[in-house]
Amino acid sequence: MINRGAELQLVANIIRAPRHDFYWDVTLNVSYNKNRITELYNGLDEYELSSTSTKLVVGHSVGEFYINRFAGVNPATGDALWLTKDGEVTTEFNESDKVMIGKSYIAPWQGGFGTALSWRGLSLSAQFAWVADRWMFNNDRFFEESNGLYSTYNQSRRILYDGWKQPGDITDIPRYGVTP
């Protein structure tokens, strides 16, 4: 695997007053890192990690999602729509239509900032962190808006109010009983 990136850190001493025993510092950091798999064990080109929606593939990054792509709901029938591997819209969900989508749960951008105040032995500090371009599945919605697939879990009110009920409804929740 190849990792490439950069990191920048800035530290500023805003106030230095030793005579009054008062100090104020501010820090800022940001990093970018991108990885790419160059080879896998035993000459494999790909390896699917079961139950994770990810796949290790030479030329792709670790953590990249390998999924079926949801294409919405047919307003006329309430059926869930999916994209085939070739990008055609279909009502059939097929495992063979999974694709690498170029999105990863590993954030390439990370950073933070903080501040620290000190006066005569008392100190106060705060630190904040952030990530960007990280993709995740909303597992709560997966179970709560399952349209009957996981009916032993509490179901979201969105199924009642926003779910497809009659021809012409525009929604992202298929008719009841059709599980995306």
Side-chain angles (χ1 to χ4, degrees):
M1 178 169 58
I2 293 175
N3 280 294
R4 290 200 173 119
E7 186 171 344
L8 174 68
Q9 180 173 357
L10 300 172
V11 178
N13 302 319
I14 305 297
I15 297 176
R16 289 276 179 233
R19 194 171 70 186
H20 299 288
D21 202 20
F22 182 73
Y23 304 92
W24 179 25
D25 299 324
V26 176
T27 61
L28 170 72
N29 68 59
V30 63
S31 68
Y32 177 81
N33 184 54
K34 197 73 172 164
N35 69 64
R36 186 172 52 87
I37 298 170
T38 56
E39 68 178 292
L40 294 171
Y41 174 75
N42 216 16
L44 293 174
D45 289 328
E46 57 185 47
Y47 181 78
E48 187 172 351
L49 302 169
S50 63
S51 302
T52 67
S53 298
T54 62
K55 185 178 188 180
L56 301 175
V57 178
V58 172
H60 290 262
S61 68
V62 172
E64 184 175 337
F65 290 110
Y66 176 67
I67 60 171
N68 290 88
R69 296 168 293 166
F70 182 66
V73 175
N74 183 330
T77 64
D79 290 338
L81 300 174
W82 300 94
L83 293 178
T84 65
K85 189 175 275 193
D86 300 324
E88 301 293 324
V89 177
T90 181
T91 56
E92 293 183 36
F93 180 93
N94 290 314
E95 289 285 323
S96 62
D97 286 326
K98 285 183 175 182
V99 294
M100 301 293 284
I101 62 166
K103 309 285 187 204
S104 174
Y105 64 83
I106 299 172
W109 290 98
Q110 299 181 46
F113 57 94
T115 186
L117 295 165
S118 175
W119 176 69
R120 297 189 181 182
L122 296 173
S123 64
L124 175 66
S125 64
Q127 295 187 12
F128 304 90
W130 57 269
V131 297
D133 205 19
R134 177 181 186 206
W135 294 83
M136 296 174 55
F137 281 105
N138 186 336
N139 227 20
D140 290 339
R141 285 187 66 191
F142 177 79
F143 288 102
E144 293 171 356
E145 295 175 8
S146 69
N147 241 359
L149 184 62
Y150 298 103
S151 58
T152 56
Y153 289 82
N154 287 332
Q155 296 295 290
S156 170
R157 292 188 325 182
R158 285 195 67 223
I159 291 175
L160 291 174
Y161 300 116
D162 299 334
W164 187 94
K165 293 177 196 65
Q166 62 188 6
D169 283 351
I170 306 296
T171 181
D172 62 345
I173 300 176
R175 63 183 158 81
Y176 189 80
V178 175
T179 54

